[in-house]
Amino acid sequence: MTRKTKIQESFTTFFVLLFLVIAMFCFLMNLVKNSEVGESYLDVTAQLPGKHEIEVMQGKSEYLILINKTYGLHETDEPEDLVMVSFRADNRPAQYQKLRAEAAAAFDRLAQEAKGQGLTIVVTTAYRPYSYQKQLNDTYLKSNGQLWTENYSAEPGHSEHQTGLAADVSSPSAGYELKPAFADTAEGKWLADNAHRFGFIIRYPEGREAITGYKYEPWHIRYVGAGPAAEIYNGNLTLEEYLGEVK
Ligand SMILES: [Zn+2]
């Protein structure tokens, strides 16, 4: 073998090795990126038409994610730790009666304590994927019109139900329905006074429509964790105010 051929061969080997190292590096970086997405599905940024950029409250608990008419989630975002709650209405699809593990356990403790007082509080729907929210929203638009839909229903990607941290609850005393009169039932009153002890807040309080963007929903509870829930309850705040989103 001539000296020239040897040098050529060395060069070829060098470049092949370099290529392999780069390829390996790219592969590993992709793995890291994917595992990050898997671990914190809520750490996303995206732009929906006509909406502000999606943001997650940096430095706050993942249970304090803010989803409203401004902030939303991707179509594919889905929590990985969804579990079925034990206290649920039988007349609704079970597949939509799941919450993230910590929230589900907290809700079951809440419902158990209510039961001890002779009250029945059950989940009608909790986690809703983007596709189901889209279907619901389209149905409401057709049957109830634009105004009603804007007041009560979230656009797909902008529903708290997609976080797995929100639940609509009701009771036999309210016919298992979601209606303002639930607030006047024994269950509705107990829920308003006690939900915070289990880490939940009444997410859309009466008279705060201008801040939350929704009419009073005494049936929609949102898990934020016990500490924040107590502060929000005691301060008579909305989640938007608590997170400093209201200037
Ligand atoms: Zn709801």
Side-chain angles (χ1 to χ4, degrees):
M1 197 179 277
T2 64
R3 185 175 169 74
K4 203 178 169 190
T5 318
K6 264 191 180 169
I7 289 170
Q8 274 176 346
E9 217 173 53
S10 301
F11 263 105
T12 311
T13 311
F14 173 75
F15 281 114
V16 166
L17 281 175
L18 184 67
F19 173 77
L20 284 174
V21 166
I22 291 172
M24 185 63 82
F25 179 75
C26 291
F27 175 73
L28 285 175
M29 285 307 288
N30 202 36
L31 272 188
V32 169
K33 200 176 146 210
N34 284 342
S35 72
E36 276 172 0
V37 169
E39 276 167 22
S40 52
Y41 83 102
L42 296 173
D43 292 342
V44 291
T45 56
Q47 190 87 45
L48 294 181
K51 302 289 178 186
H52 291 196
E53 192 170 314
I54 292 168
E55 285 177 20
V56 169
M57 299 294 121
Q58 297 296 333
K60 306 258 188 190
S61 149
E62 60 180 316
Y63 297 119
L64 283 174
I65 185 171
L66 179 64
I67 299 298
N68 56 20
K69 291 187 177 178
T70 302
Y71 299 108
L73 293 165
H74 287 288
E75 188 169 350
T76 51
D77 286 333
E78 180 179 336
E80 291 177 340
D81 59 348
L82 291 170
V83 295
M84 191 85 76
V85 299
S86 301
F87 292 83
R88 48 200 171 85
D90 294 337
N91 62 343
R92 305 293 183 105
Q95 70 193 102
Y96 304 131
Q97 295 177 321
K98 295 174 185 169
L99 284 172
R100 292 190 60 191
E102 188 175 309
F107 176 75
D108 283 339
R109 283 197 300 275
L110 177 155
Q112 186 68 49
E113 191 174 308
K115 191 180 170 189
Q117 315 229 353
L119 304 170
T120 303
I121 299 176
V122 291
V123 160
T124 58
T125 67
Y127 171 70
R128 295 203 288 254
Y130 183 101
S131 55
Y132 182 53
Q133 186 65 30
K134 184 172 186 331
Q135 195 185 315
L136 272 183
N137 214 60
D138 290 349
T139 308
Y140 289 145
L141 276 172
K142 274 189 205 132
S143 58
N144 299 0
Q146 180 95 23
L147 188 63
W148 188 97
T149 306
E150 277 179 15
N151 280 334
Y152 286 106
S153 174
E155 282 180 40
H158 289 266
S159 170
E160 275 204 323
H161 288 272
Q162 196 184 337
T163 66
L165 297 171
D168 293 333
V169 303
S170 194
S171 59
S173 56
Y176 295 109
E177 283 184 42
L178 308 178
K179 52 187 182 185
F182 173 66
D184 302 321
T185 64
E187 281 84 359
K189 286 177 185 162
W190 186 90
L191 186 71
D193 291 340
N194 293 281
H196 65 282
R197 296 198 291 110
F198 302 90
F200 287 93
I201 57 168
I202 306 293
R203 178 67 177 88
Y204 308 117
E206 194 165 20
R208 305 297 181 86
E209 291 83 356
I211 295 173
T212 65
Y214 291 99
K215 293 273 190 209
Y216 178 37
E217 292 192 2
W219 60 82
H220 179 111
I221 56 172
R222 158 68 196 273
Y223 187 75
V224 291
E231 286 173 34
I232 289 168
Y233 174 81
N234 292 323
N236 195 23
L237 301 170
T238 58
L239 185 56
E240 278 80 3
E241 289 165 306
Y242 181 72
L243 294 173
E245 280 291 302
V246 181
K247 307 294 175 233

